[in-house]
Amino acid sequence: MRKEYLEGNLSVSRLWPDLYIAPVKGLAMLRNKTAAEPVDWKEVIFDYGLFDGRTHGHPAKLQTIPSFNGQIVSMEYGYGMHGNPVAHGFHMRSYAHNVVVADGQDQFHASSAVPVGRLRGSYSDHNVQWVDAESTRIYQGIEMRRTLIVTDFGIVNLYLCRSNTRHQYDWMYHSFGEASVLGLKLAKVKQLAESGPLKFGQNPRTHTTNGMVRVLWENKPLTKPAKKQSTALLHEKALVRVWALPAKDTAVALFGIPMIESCGNEIDYFMLRRNAEATVFATVQEPWRESTQPMVESIQSLHVKANSKLVANHQASAMEVTLNDGSRRVYFVNYTSDTKTIGKVNTSADVATWEIDKNEAIQNPKHTQGHDFKIR
């Protein structure tokens, strides 16, 4: 198929653009094609806008559906749960999607097409793509904003939740394969909840931490019948690692949700829970194949200042990603309109990214148009 496309009259960039936005629906498709092999491209669908209509009718705005290692690896997978009496109806709930759930309640939903989120901005070139979207209608009294930045190593994901009152925020992610937590010891619990969607979680394990969180999904080639750890459409193992920056008193949970046999019996979910007025879930999703290598060495949060004073992460967040080759990348999202300082950079941009070379010089800055970006 690739040969037919390449020998045709349409260019790859027209067939598979780096960024495509459907503004009426409120849907974006981001695709990073820097890898030599298409199977290693990083792709994600970002559903931020219209509830219901002629497409997805589940309460799940600002949700993501990533595609790694040649296949969609993470979605709510409703058809895999239809007819399963154990978790009947789970696939229609907000918890089944890659979103944040507040206070254990489903997100906003309606009986007809209603705009829920709006696009703040976007950017794309060959090396990096981003979409920045927000909503104040998902939950009453809570501002939510999600910024997705797609790179050669994976997806940088910053998700703001901000309110004047305290809430329980549950950040959800799931993927094909068998999940395990790296560097933390989880304790088995009887169940995650006595009622609601989380009561269907199987083999739940939890831990509360103030540190970094890393979860790895390992997926071997597809078998018949499919098993949880063997649904990859490759002839080798496919892996996805999620990194989450530290935040105080973060509860980590892993659990499985039943599915029909043809989909692998279970899909493993990962949840981060925080109780706060405001928080930012800052994560990286990093895929690779067994015959290749992971690219990320480490991630860390950076200090952000306004008028020489440190600001909270719900005012602005900056993440530095160090790759195995020693290169350093910075990803910044501004949650207020004033100018922020991050190391040598002063900027009022909503979203910005840049590199830091071996001499600590700023290289290849990219930022939202119409905003200052100055290097001291």
Side-chain angles (χ1 to χ4, degrees), residues 22 35 48 53 58 62 79 101 113 149 161 167 179 208 220 227 233 260 262 266 287 356 360 364-366:
Y48 63 85
H58 300 169
L62 303 184
Y79 70 79
V101 179
I149 307 172
C161 305
H167 295 275
T208 299
K220 298 176 182 177
K227 298 179 181 179
L233 301 180
I260 60 175
S262 62
E266 271 190 355
I356 304 175
E360 300 296 320
N364 300 320
K366 299 164 187 178

Side-chain angles (χ1 to χ4, degrees), residues 128 130-132 145 147-149 156-158 245 280 282 300-306 311-321 329-343 345-355 366-368 371-373:
V128 66
W130 74 64
V131 167
D132 186 24
R145 178 175 164 189
T147 309
L148 293 182
I149 307 172
V156 176
N157 184 341
L158 293 114
L245 284 177
V280 174
Q300 64 173 332
S301 59
L302 298 179
H303 291 312
V304 181
K305 295 182 179 180
V311 300
N313 68 351
H314 61 266
Q315 294 176 292
S317 289
M319 176 194 298
E320 180 180 306
V321 178
R329 318 261 187 90
V330 176
Y331 303 93
F332 168 75
V333 180
N334 199 355
Y335 298 121
T336 57
S337 59
D338 52 340
T339 296
K340 302 298 192 304
T341 300
I342 314 95
V345 171
N346 291 329
T347 183
S348 62
D350 289 343
V351 183
T353 179
W354 59 93
E355 300 174 10
K366 299 164 187 178
H367 58 89
T368 47
H371 292 268
D372 292 334
F373 187 97

Side-chain angles (χ1 to χ4, degrees), residues 152-153 295-298 321-329:
D152 55 346
F153 60 79
M295 294 180 64
V296 176
E297 173 68 26
S298 64
V321 178
T322 301
L323 303 184
N324 290 329
D325 63 6
S327 60
R328 297 157 63 194
R329 318 261 187 90

Side-chain angles (χ1 to χ4, degrees), residues 1-21 28-45 67 70 124-129 150:
M1 183 176 72
R2 181 188 178 200
K3 183 174 182 292
E4 292 176 358
Y5 280 131
L6 293 177
E7 291 178 352
N9 295 323
L10 292 177
S11 66
V12 172
S13 62
R14 287 194 62 189
L15 286 167
W16 296 300
D18 297 328
L19 174 63
Y20 176 79
I21 294 176
M29 177 76 183
L30 301 89
R31 180 181 289 111
N32 190 287
K33 306 194 297 287
T34 54
E37 292 295 328
V39 72
D40 295 319
W41 291 352
K42 282 70 175 178
E43 302 169 290
V44 62
I45 294 172
S67 178
S124 71
D125 61 26
H126 181 67
N127 295 312
V128 66
Q129 305 77 37
V150 185

Side-chain angles (χ1 to χ4, degrees), residues 193-325:
E194 295 182 356
S195 61
L198 291 182
K199 72 178 181 181
F200 296 119
Q202 297 190 342
N203 188 27
R205 295 93 73 200
T206 65
H207 180 81
T208 299
T209 181
N210 297 328
M212 182 80 68
V213 178
R214 294 174 299 151
V215 177
L216 178 69
W217 281 262
E218 298 185 73
N219 200 14
K220 298 176 182 177
L222 181 68
T223 59
K224 293 185 179 180
K227 298 179 181 179
K228 177 167 63 175
Q229 69 274 20
S230 56
T231 61
L233 301 180
L234 298 171
H235 298 296
E236 60 178 322
K237 186 186 296 185
L239 303 101
V240 176
R241 177 168 55 185
V242 172
W243 303 69
L245 284 177
K248 185 178 180 181
D249 295 332
T250 296
V252 180
L254 282 186
F255 59 95
I257 286 294
M259 300 172 71
I260 60 175
E261 186 176 88
S262 62
C263 295
N265 295 322
E266 271 190 355
I267 190 164
D268 276 350
Y269 276 74
F270 165 43
M271 182 175 75
L272 296 172
R273 171 173 289 177
R274 296 175 190 160
N275 291 280
E277 292 184 3
T279 190
V280 174
F281 294 96
T283 64
V284 170
Q285 299 160 24
E286 176 197 17
W288 71 94
R289 295 178 287 130
E290 190 173 22
S291 61
T292 64
Q293 296 292 326
M295 294 180 64
V296 176
E297 173 68 26
S298 64
I299 70 172
Q300 64 173 332
S301 59
L302 298 179
H303 291 312
V304 181
K305 295 182 179 180
N307 298 317
S308 301
K309 296 182 179 180
L310 290 174
V311 300
N313 68 351
H314 61 266
Q315 294 176 292
S317 289
M319 176 194 298
E320 180 180 306
V321 178
T322 301
L323 303 184
N324 290 329
D325 63 6

